[in-house]
Amino acid sequence: MGWFSKPTDGFFLSTTTPPGIDLSQYLGVVNGEAIIGANIFRDMFSSVRDVVGGRAGGYERALASARDAAVDELIDAAKQMGSNGVIGIDFDYEVMGETNGMMMVAVSGTAVKL
């Protein structure tokens, strides 16, 4: 449910109104971003997958890693504000670069205190 072991210690939710949890203070918006670049070998194997079918595991792993890095950045920002939770989490993905060779993962939410 959260980045700590118990909901009373901290939480990380997509909802803005968590049931059964009384929020004492809204601290502000926090965010995290990570950018991943395309890789010639990953692109080559992805092209083969496009032809023969299946999932592009290299891209999936890279995207998951970027998403985890963005979430870690969000959590660090929330903790620096004295927060023990984040609500209203939203993920955005954007293709970037002149040749669309990069992808940005951005996550944002509202830092709160129990």
Side-chain angles (χ1 to χ4, degrees), residues 3 12 31-36 59-77 89 91-93 103-107:
W3 68 74
F12 180 71
N31 57 56
E33 297 90 15
I35 298 174
I36 57 173
Y59 276 119
E60 288 176 354
R61 285 187 294 279
L63 187 56
S65 177
R67 187 176 51 243
D68 290 345
V71 168
D72 288 345
E73 195 174 294
L74 172 107
I75 291 170
D76 288 344
I89 302 299
F91 289 89
D92 291 308
Y93 300 87
M103 177 174 267
M104 179 179 72
V105 179
V107 61

Side-chain angles (χ1 to χ4, degrees), residues 20-91:
I21 297 176
D22 294 325
L23 304 176
S24 67
Q25 191 175 9
Y26 292 85
L27 300 175
V29 174
V30 287
N31 57 56
E33 297 90 15
I35 298 174
I36 57 173
N39 174 296
I40 187 166
F41 297 111
R42 199 168 41 220
D43 289 347
M44 191 168 56
F45 289 118
S46 178
S47 297
V48 170
R49 290 275 190 196
D50 287 344
V51 173
V52 298
R55 295 171 65 167
Y59 276 119
E60 288 176 354
R61 285 187 294 279
L63 187 56
S65 177
R67 187 176 51 243
D68 290 345
V71 168
D72 288 345
E73 195 174 294
L74 172 107
I75 291 170
D76 288 344
K79 286 180 178 179
Q80 287 178 10
M81 294 175 81
S83 169
N84 62 353
V86 178
I87 61 171
I89 302 299
D90 179 58
F91 289 89

